[in-house]
Amino acid sequence: MFQNINESTIDGHNYKEEKKEKKKIELFTNVFAIKNIPIYTITLMLSMVGLTGEISPFSISILGACISNSVPLLGIVACAIIGNLIKFGISGALSFILTTLVLIVTMFLIKPKYNEDDVNEKVNLAKNIFISTMIIQLAKVGISGFTLYDVLSIICFSIITIVFYKIFVNSIIVFRNFGEKKAFSIEEVLGASLMLAIAVCAFGKLS
């Protein structure tokens, strides 16, 4: 009897270890899945396009959209950091990293709303993105003093980030499931076209 218990315990322990290893392998392979490569490329390009300030609002928007669509964050964060580093330097990359960390913290403090499975936006992160963006931007200008114009600019920056988050969250599916899904909605196609148009701006002025 004791032999059977010991054998079952050992077998159960081995099964758990094998299951953990399998999950690690699946997580690793999912990061480098072929269907995610276009998203990584677009993230890198979007992160090199800015409006004002020292960080690309589109990099934050695509980050939130990828979280909502269950895209592996390792590749997204890496590409966004590289894009902000190329375009805005160390300060841009650091701002993105801090915004990402604050966004993750707010997800634990302020629980996001979960939508139905048939909706592209599985998790509603608009509130979390707005708060995390505002906190980092206000902290940056608060160190050296700020004016009313700075506050209004930060609010506009956060609003722009949320608007494009809503656009990108319905656009990622076009690039991820281009060969799998046969038909896309007008909203998804228009959003994907806008995303691609902004990403192309990373190459500079084109006509």
Side-chain angles (χ1 to χ4, degrees), residues 3 7 11 32 35 37 54 56 60 72 76-77 100-101 113-114 123 157 172 196 199 202:
Q3 183 179 0
E7 288 179 356
D11 291 340
F32 296 99
K35 66 179 182 179
I37 301 301
E54 298 179 348
S56 171
I60 304 173
I76 297 298
V77 172
T100 303
L101 294 176
K113 179 182 177 182
Y114 290 85
V123 185
F157 181 89
I172 292 178
L196 194 60

Side-chain angles (χ1 to χ4, degrees), residues 129-201:
I129 292 174
F130 183 83
I131 293 174
S132 59
T133 306
M134 286 283 293
I135 290 175
I136 297 302
Q137 295 301 313
L138 287 174
K140 288 174 61 178
V141 299
I143 295 175
S144 58
F146 58 91
T147 62
L148 180 61
Y149 171 79
D150 295 326
V151 176
L152 294 176
S153 298
I154 291 172
I155 294 174
C156 291
F157 181 89
S158 300
I159 293 174
I160 290 172
T161 304
I162 293 176
V163 170
F164 281 96
Y165 156 74
K166 289 293 184 179
I167 295 174
F168 293 165
V169 79
N170 291 310
S171 309
I172 292 178
I173 189 173
V174 177
F175 298 99
R176 282 193 86 192
N177 302 333
F178 184 77
E180 300 175 3
K181 192 174 180 180
K182 295 182 179 180
F184 299 96
S185 65
I186 296 176
E187 183 181 16
E188 292 170 348
V189 174
L190 290 177
S193 301
L194 181 58
M195 180 190 291
L196 194 60
I198 297 173
V200 170
C201 295

Side-chain angles (χ1 to χ4, degrees), residues 4-78:
N4 293 333
I5 293 175
N6 292 333
E7 288 179 356
S8 62
T9 304
I10 294 172
D11 291 340
H13 180 71
N14 291 336
Y15 174 75
K16 290 180 180 180
E17 292 296 328
E18 290 176 0
K19 192 174 182 181
K20 289 181 180 179
E21 292 296 328
K22 187 177 181 181
K23 284 185 177 180
K24 290 180 181 179
I25 294 173
E26 288 178 353
L27 180 62
F28 183 78
T29 54
N30 193 24
V31 171
F32 296 99
I34 296 177
K35 66 179 182 179
N36 292 326
I37 301 301
I39 304 299
Y40 298 156
T41 306
I42 292 176
T43 300
L44 176 63
M45 297 171 67
L46 288 173
S47 301
M48 296 171 62
V49 180
L51 298 177
T52 57
E54 298 179 348
I55 184 176
S56 171
F58 307 114
S59 61
I60 304 173
S61 300
I62 191 67
L63 172 67
C66 290
I67 294 175
S68 183
N69 278 273
S70 301
V71 179
L73 291 185
L74 181 61
I76 297 298
V77 172

Side-chain angles (χ1 to χ4, degrees), residues 101-139:
L101 294 176
V102 174
L103 175 60
I104 295 173
V105 172
T106 58
M107 291 176 64
F108 288 99
L109 299 177
I110 305 173
K111 299 296 183 181
K113 179 182 177 182
Y114 290 85
N115 300 320
E116 298 177 0
D117 293 336
D118 56 346
V119 180
N120 290 332
E121 188 180 10
K122 302 294 188 299
V123 185
N124 192 341
L125 296 174
K127 185 187 299 183
N128 304 80
I129 292 174
F130 183 83
I131 293 174
S132 59
T133 306
M134 286 283 293
I135 290 175
I136 297 302
Q137 295 301 313
L138 287 174

